[in-house]
Amino acid sequence: MGAEEYLNFVHSQCEKYKVPAPEDRPKPRLLLLPKTYKEYPLLYASNPKSGSTSMKKWFLRLGGSRLDFMDMTGVHGGAYTKYTPFRSLVSYSPADTSLDDIIAPYYKVAFVRNPLTRLLSGFRDKVLRRPGSKSGKAIYENSPTVTQDSSDEDKFHAFVKLVLAEKIVNMHFGSQWQKMQVCSWPYDLLANTETTTEQIKVIQEHVAAQQFEFPGSRSEQGTDSEATVTLAHRFYDGFEAAVMEQIYEYYKWDFSILGYAKLDNPNFPYVDLTQEFDYSEPWLLDN
C-alpha cells in the first residue's frame, strides 16, 4: 500500500463518518523539528508509543551525534533538556507568521499504530518496566486480587479494565486520531509504525537524509526479548468477548478512521482497507 493511498483512505474515512472540520486548524499534540531543520526540513508530530523514541534518537543523529543508539538517553527532554535533539515548532516560530506559512517548507510526518499493540506497548512501558509509576500503582490500588507476584497477563487485564473505566488516564493509552488531528492537519505522510522500515525510507529520501541510519525497535536492538506484536494474542486472548468489545468501542475511531485490523483479522496488526465498520450512530465529537 502506497503512502498516498493510505492518506487518501484516512481522509475518505473522515468524510464517511462526517468528522466536523474545525473552524481553525488545531495542531497535533506535539510538533517537532530536528535541530538541523534547515538541512533536513522535517516536521514530526510526535505520537507516544508509536516509535517516537526512535524518531527522536534519529533527530539526535541528524544533529551530528555519533553515540550508539543504545546510549542515547533522555531524548524526550524533561530533566535531560541539554540532550534534547529537537526544537518545538511553537518555541522557534515567529508569532506574527501564519501557521500555514510556518509549516510550508517542511515535510510533515506522523506515525500511527494499531490501538491494541499500542495499548500493550504502553502497559509494558508504564507498568512492567516502571511498576512504581502512577499507572502501575493504580493497578494494585484498584485491583485487590492483583499483586506484584501476579502474572503479566493478569496485570494487563486489570490495567485494561482501569483504562476503559478511565481510572487510568494517560496520553500513551488514549486514542490517536484526534490528538494527531489526522482529519485536518495537512500531513505529507501518515505512516504506520508496523511498516516503519519501509516508510522511514520515504522520509529519508524526502529530506535527503539517506546517509543516517534509523534506529530499530526495542526488540530489534535487543532491549526487549520479544516484540509487542508477538505477545498480543497471548495477552488479549484471555479477555472475555464482552471486554474485547469494550476495547473496540473505546478505540472505535482509531480502528475505523485509521483502518487498523482487529485481533481476529488475518491482517492484524496491519491496516485492512477492505474491512467494514458498523458505526452508524450520529457523530459525537467526544467519542
Side-chain angles (χ1 to χ4, degrees):
M1 177 182 60
E4 184 176 355
E5 179 186 1
Y6 182 61
L7 196 56
N8 288 339
F9 167 81
V10 171
H11 290 163
S12 71
Q13 293 297 91
C14 294
E15 293 178 6
K16 177 179 179 179
Y17 294 109
K18 298 179 173 60
V19 178
E23 294 182 4
D24 56 347
R25 179 183 291 155
K27 297 189 294 292
R29 61 168 295 275
L30 187 60
L31 290 171
L32 307 175
L33 303 164
K35 286 188 174 179
T36 49
Y37 63 91
K38 292 183 179 179
E39 292 85 359
Y40 309 107
L42 174 63
L43 180 59
Y44 168 60
S46 179
N47 183 20
K49 309 316 303 173
S50 300
S52 62
T53 298
S54 293
M55 182 63 79
K56 291 169 185 176
K57 287 184 176 183
W58 193 56
F59 276 18
L60 201 58
R61 183 72 84 232
L62 294 180
S65 172
R66 293 298 173 261
L67 283 173
D68 186 275
F69 286 129
M70 292 291 291
D71 295 327
M72 293 180 179
T73 59
V75 294
H76 296 290
Y80 304 93
T81 303
K82 66 179 179 179
Y83 301 117
T84 302
F86 52 80
R87 291 183 171 186
S88 165
L89 178 71
V90 175
S91 301
Y92 289 86
S93 300
D96 58 350
T97 304
S98 73
L99 182 60
D100 285 345
D101 289 340
I102 291 171
I103 66 177
Y106 303 108
Y107 188 61
K108 296 167 281 295
V109 173
F111 279 82
V112 291
R113 186 176 186 178
N114 189 297
L116 296 183
T117 53
R118 184 170 177 265
L119 180 61
L120 179 54
S121 177
F123 165 76
R124 297 181 78 188
D125 180 26
K126 302 300 181 185
V127 176
L128 296 187
R129 297 188 197 110
R130 311 177 200 189
S133 69
K134 185 177 180 180
S135 298
K137 291 178 180 178
I139 293 176
Y140 307 118
E141 292 170 357
N142 292 278
S143 308
T145 61
V146 178
T147 69
Q148 292 278 4
D149 296 326
S150 297
S151 69
D152 291 346
E153 291 88 340
D154 286 343
K155 292 175 185 176
F156 182 61
H157 288 198
F159 163 79
V160 168
K161 290 176 181 178
L162 292 174
V163 170
L164 297 176
E166 298 188 337
K167 291 184 178 180
I168 293 180
V169 179
N170 187 300
M171 64 182 178
H172 294 79
F173 319 134
S175 64
Q176 303 165 79
W177 76 271
Q178 205 165 25
K179 287 185 176 62
M180 304 313 296
Q181 299 295 336
V182 300
C183 293
S184 59
W185 187 253
Y187 289 112
D188 296 299
L189 176 67
L190 191 60
N192 305 105
T193 303
E194 294 77 13
T195 53
T196 296
T197 302
E198 292 77 22
Q199 295 189 303
I200 197 63
K201 294 176 183 177
V202 177
I203 298 173
Q204 290 169 319
E205 291 175 3
H206 270 87
V207 299
Q210 296 95 325
Q211 69 271 35
F212 297 105
E213 178 189 7
F214 192 80
S217 65
R218 290 181 61 91
S219 60
E220 290 169 337
Q221 294 179 57
T223 306
D224 286 345
S225 59
E226 292 184 87
T228 295
V229 65
T230 65
L231 299 174
H233 280 284
R234 192 179 97 199
F235 276 77
Y236 282 104
D237 282 349
F239 280 118
E240 297 176 355
V243 177
M244 285 304 302
E245 285 306 312
Q246 284 183 281
I247 296 172
Y248 291 135
E249 176 68 18
Y250 191 81
Y251 293 108
K252 68 179 180 180
W253 299 116
D254 277 358
F255 280 105
S256 59
I257 291 175
L258 301 178
Y260 272 108
K262 295 183 178 181
L263 195 65
D264 59 356
N265 187 316
N267 289 320
F268 176 84
Y270 302 98
V271 296
D272 182 353
L273 308 190
T274 65
Q275 61 188 332
E276 292 293 329
F277 295 96
D278 185 22
Y279 296 143
S280 57
E281 67 268 29
W283 174 260
L284 295 175
L285 187 59
D286 61 354
N287 279 9

